[in-house]
Each structure stands twice: as structure tokens, then as C-alpha cells.
Amino acid sequence: MPTGFKINSNISRRIFSITLLMMLMLFCFSYIFAAGYDFDKLSTLARQQYGEEAQKDVQELQQLVSQLKTAPDAEKLKKINDFFNNKITFGDDINIWGKSDYWSTPLESIGRQAGDCEDFSIAKYMFLKAVNISNNKLRLTYVKAIINNNGQRSARAHMVLSYYATPQAEPLILDSLVTEIYPASVRKDLSPIFSFNDKGLWVGNSASPKGDAQSHLSRWRDVLLRMQMDGLE
């Protein structure tokens, strides 16, 4: 009987140790994730730099992110896509920033309530990651877009955000020009040129990355650093 008690005590201690370790790991993971998206800092900066309305938008975004953490991917895509399409008005960099090509952070886009295609895509990318969509499923994609303007068709460079349910799946397209989310095969007006995220760079429809995006795209590297300063990752 005493021997059996010792065995049970050892098992209990082991179970307790494993449970404690798992709780510590969960706490550390939660802390790391929270540290990656510091909404308190983002909200404070929004108010300091752009005013009360920008701060309210950031707080609304924080609430949305909290609600979507455990939602299905389809709901996350729709609501984050709708949030930024509704909050940001499309504009050219030269009119917003006085520069021919500037990639703004989500804070800057929310603060100015304006952005171009890169800015929409960057904001959606960052906050889809915030609601637990894997980085591997998301790519910012440069495309050639056919624009129909009063019957006149023209091609121009454009950026969208692509979502891949699996590495080989047909992507869904989150766009600033077409507000609904469609599979790539429906968007016959778009031809992919290259795509990237903060881990890799892909050419055309390739399933395998060709290199590191931060090494090849200086504007991407720059905006990632500025987002870190804002409290995002």
C-alpha cells in the first residue's frame, strides 16, 4: 500500500509539472502575441498624430480583432477586408504624401483615411495575421490590372492581397477596386506578376518562393520597420 501511494504521488507530481509547463507556455505565447500587436501604443499614437477620430478607428479595429480570433477564415477575410475598404479612401501617393511612391503603415492609412493599393493590401495583411490567419496563407500580390474607364480599357500596375487556403489552392483576392472577395479565376482583369510576404518572394503563379522579399524590396523592408515602431510586430 505505501509503495502504491508513492507511485501515485510521483504520477501526480509529473502531471502537475506538465500542466504547469503547459500553462507557462500558453502564457508566454499569449504574451509574445500581444507584444506583437500593441494596441495601446497604436491607439496612443493615433490620437497624438491624427486625433480622436483616428484613435476611435484603432479602438474599433482592436475590438474587431478580438471578436475574430476564433472565427472561421471566411469571416475573418470578409470583415477585415470590409473594415479597411470602408475606412480608407483610395488616393494616389502624390496627393496623400507628396511622393510618387510611398508605402504607408496601417496607422498612417487610418490617420489620413486614405491610401493607394499597396496601403490597403499591407493593412489587410497585417490584421489578418492579427486574427490568427497563418502568414503562409497570405501574400501581397503585384498584378497587371485591366481598368475600364468609360469604355476605355487600359493596363496598370496594381496590388491586391491573396489568400491561399492551402499552398496549392486557388487564391482568393482581397482588393481595393472590387470590394467583394472572389477566387482568382473570376478576376480575369488581373494578371499576377509577383507576390511576397514577410518570409518569401514568389514569381507569377509559382508555388515555391524564389527568395527573401525583404532583401529584394527596400520599401517592404522600410514599412515593416515603421510598423514595428507603431506597435505592430
Side-chain angles (χ1 to χ4, degrees), residues 85-227:
N85 282 348
N86 290 331
K87 292 293 182 183
I88 303 173
T89 300
F90 188 89
D92 293 326
D93 285 334
I94 194 66
N95 297 323
I96 302 169
W97 301 104
K99 300 178 181 180
S100 60
D101 193 9
Y102 179 77
W103 292 15
S104 66
T105 68
L107 174 59
E108 291 171 327
S109 298
I110 289 172
R112 292 292 182 95
Q113 298 183 326
D116 68 359
C117 57
E118 290 96 349
D119 306 328
F120 279 88
S121 299
I122 290 168
K124 294 172 187 179
Y125 169 76
M126 293 302 295
F127 285 96
L128 284 172
K129 290 203 304 176
V131 296
N132 296 332
I133 288 189
S134 169
N135 185 68
N136 295 331
K137 293 183 176 183
L138 300 170
R139 298 185 204 169
L140 298 102
T141 306
Y142 262 119
V143 297
K144 181 177 73 173
I146 304 299
I147 308 297
N148 192 329
N149 187 11
N150 296 323
Q152 298 294 319
R153 290 165 60 87
S154 60
R156 76 178 189 194
H158 183 54
M159 184 185 282
V160 297
L161 182 67
S162 302
Y163 165 85
Y164 294 79
T166 66
Q168 304 299 327
E170 177 185 9
L172 299 177
I173 304 301
L174 286 69
D175 196 355
S176 55
L177 296 179
V178 177
T179 57
E180 294 298 317
I181 299 172
Y182 292 110
S185 59
V186 174
R187 295 298 308 275
K188 299 185 184 303
D189 55 320
L190 306 179
S191 301
I193 302 170
F194 70 90
S195 60
F196 61 96
N197 58 27
D198 60 12
K199 301 299 181 186
L201 173 70
W202 291 259
V203 177
N205 290 315
S206 173
S208 301
K210 301 299 182 183
D212 173 26
Q214 294 188 51
S215 299
H216 293 84
L217 300 172
S218 60
R219 286 190 178 87
W220 179 230
R221 184 170 61 248
D222 174 66
V223 76
L224 285 172
L225 290 172
R226 287 187 285 115
M227 287 191 289

Side-chain angles (χ1 to χ4, degrees), residues 51-62:
E52 186 176 342
E53 187 172 357
Q55 184 181 40
K56 288 181 179 178
D57 286 341
V58 168
Q59 291 170 343
E60 181 182 341
L61 179 57
Q62 180 180 11

